[in-house]
Structures are given as structure tokens and as C-alpha cells.
Amino acid sequence: MRVLGIHGSPRVGGNSDTLLSAALAGAEEAGAEIKRINVSGLRISGCTECNDCYALGECSITDDDMGQIYDALEWADRIIFASPIFFMGLPSQAKALIDRCQRYWALKHVLGEEFPRPEGAPARFGIFIGVGATRGKKLFDGVILTMKYFFDAISMKPVEDLYVLIRGIDEKGEISTNAEALRSARESGGKLAAMD
Ligand SMILES: Cc1cc2nc3c(=O)[nH]c(=O)nc-3n(C[C@H](O)[C@H](O)[C@H](O)COP(=O)(O)O)c2cc1C
């Protein structure tokens, strides 16, 4: 099983970074091959809505780091997307990555083609790990919807039962004192990797 972790925070070594590491460790324990993408070190331009992808399912922006991300998205059987909440949504770097998946949306919904997958590859599933400073009931509502449509565009089924949503964590490193959150992330990663 190939499990890709996507870290959506610009803060290296922060809370979502640690949660993602725990989830990937759980996936590895379950026997998965893992890979990780950190948006913080990458140049990801925003979608320009040129709609060129409607013709071929390819993105016309080629002078940034999305190429390696597309390769990873196509390599993966499973995705663990970990991110903090910024202004009730995703950090701009993480959202840019998602917007640039419009080429896969176009492939599926405009061109009527399948997401590129090797013959006999496992079913695709994705989960989200979120962390925010506040405790509001609706804190993750917007991002859960964004993830639903992101996973749909890349032909992955979201497994919301395995989402890990942690409220009330703000300072860098604060998550390390929350053993329950780390255990939960590790368990979710393991379960995701073990799904049929
Ligand atoms: C620009 C910005 C916007 C934020 N917006 C929210 C927000 O809307 N709701 C919230 O609960 N926390 C918000 N936060 C706090 C982060 O979600 C919180 O610090 C989180 O633990 C950071 O995770 P990280 O260390 O993985 O980056 C915001 C932080 C920043 C820097």
C-alpha cells in the first residue's frame, strides 16, 4: 500500500507536522510504503483559471513544483492530508495545491476519463487531519467540504470516520503534550493503510 502524507502548513515542526508524522508512522507500522510532501518548501502557483486543462487534462503552468506533486498524487493509493485551520479554511499554500488539481477535475468531469491508475491498483481512500487554535463547533466544517471535493477530483473516497480533528492547539509544539491526539493520528494512519 502506498500512503502519501501531504503537510499543508507553512510552519515546519508545528502541530500538523507532528500529527502527520504520527499518522505516517501508523501507516508504516501497518506495512505501507510512505512518502511525504511538505508545501512549505515548495513553489506552488495558484490556478489561473485559464481552463486549458479542459482540453487535455493537463495544467499549462509548468514552471513551479507541482510536477512532483502530480507524480506523488498518481503514485498514492492513500492520502493523509494534514493541515492547520487558517481563517476557517486551509493555508494558502495548501489551497493552491488543491486548486491546481483542477486538471484532474477536468479529466473526470469534462473529458470523462479515469484518473490515471496502474492496472490492479488498490482502491483509493483519503483522510484529513486538522488542527486549530479555537474550539468552535464549526471549526472544521469548511475544510471538510473542501477535502470532500478535493478527494473527488483525484478519485479518492474520503473516510471521514478516520479524520482526526483537534481543537484548542495553537503554539508550535503544543500538540506534543496531547498524547491522545497523537495516538488517534497514529491509529487512523494504520487503519487507512490497512483498508481494502
Ligand atoms: C494566518 C492564521 C490564521 C489562523 N486562523 C485560525 C482560525 O480561523 N481558527 C483557528 O482555530 N485557528 C486559527 N489559526 C491558528 C492555527 O490553526 C493554530 O496555531 C495551529 O495549531 C497551527 O498548526 P501548525 O503548527 O501545524 O501550523 C490561525 C493561524 C494563522 C497563522
Side-chain angles (χ1 to χ4, degrees):
M1 194 64 67
R2 297 166 160 190
V3 178
L4 173 67
I6 300 177
H7 181 223
S9 177
R11 182 155 75 174
V12 176
N15 300 312
S16 53
D17 199 348
T18 304
L19 285 165
L20 180 59
S21 295
L24 288 173
E28 207 165 23
E29 276 161 19
E33 185 186 348
I34 61 167
K35 198 177 264 191
R36 191 190 228 268
I37 280 173
N38 304 298
V39 298
S40 60
L42 299 174
R43 281 182 312 112
I44 307 172
S45 306
C47 171
T48 58
E49 209 179 1
C50 66
N51 293 349
D52 281 0
C53 58
Y54 284 23
L56 287 174
E58 306 266 340
C59 185
S60 60
I61 304 170
T62 53
D63 60 354
D64 67 359
D65 293 326
M66 265 315 283
Q68 59 183 274
I69 298 174
Y70 292 139
D71 288 346
L73 293 173
E74 292 173 27
W75 169 88
D77 303 315
R78 308 283 146 93
I79 285 180
I80 303 171
F81 199 115
S83 178
I85 299 298
F86 278 11
F87 285 91
M88 300 307 278
L90 290 170
S92 51
Q93 298 89 338
K95 185 59 163 48
L97 182 157
I98 289 178
D99 290 351
R100 290 285 298 286
C101 288
Q102 179 73 346
R103 58 168 289 206
Y104 295 121
W105 181 91
L107 193 70
K108 185 172 174 180
H109 295 289
V110 179
L111 299 169
E113 289 178 30
E114 300 284 324
F115 187 89
R117 293 291 284 151
E119 189 86 12
R124 277 161 71 82
F125 295 107
I127 63 169
F128 175 68
I129 295 179
V131 58
T134 57
R135 296 182 179 275
K137 193 165 162 270
K138 296 184 174 177
L139 179 58
F140 297 105
D141 286 9
V143 171
I144 287 171
L145 261 182
T146 301
M147 295 311 302
K148 179 177 178 205
Y149 287 90
F150 166 60
F151 285 134
D152 174 76
I154 59 168
S155 295
M156 245 180 206
K157 202 163 177 273
V159 189
E160 292 193 14
D161 287 351
L162 296 182
Y163 283 17
V164 180
L165 307 172
I166 309 294
R167 294 173 166 81
I169 296 284
D170 199 11
E171 298 304 319
K172 184 175 180 178
E174 201 180 336
I175 197 70
S176 305
T177 61
N178 190 332
E180 172 57 23
L182 296 174
R183 190 199 55 73
S184 178
R186 198 179 196 102
E187 199 174 289
S188 276
K191 284 184 178 167
L192 180 74
M195 281 178 67
D196 287 331

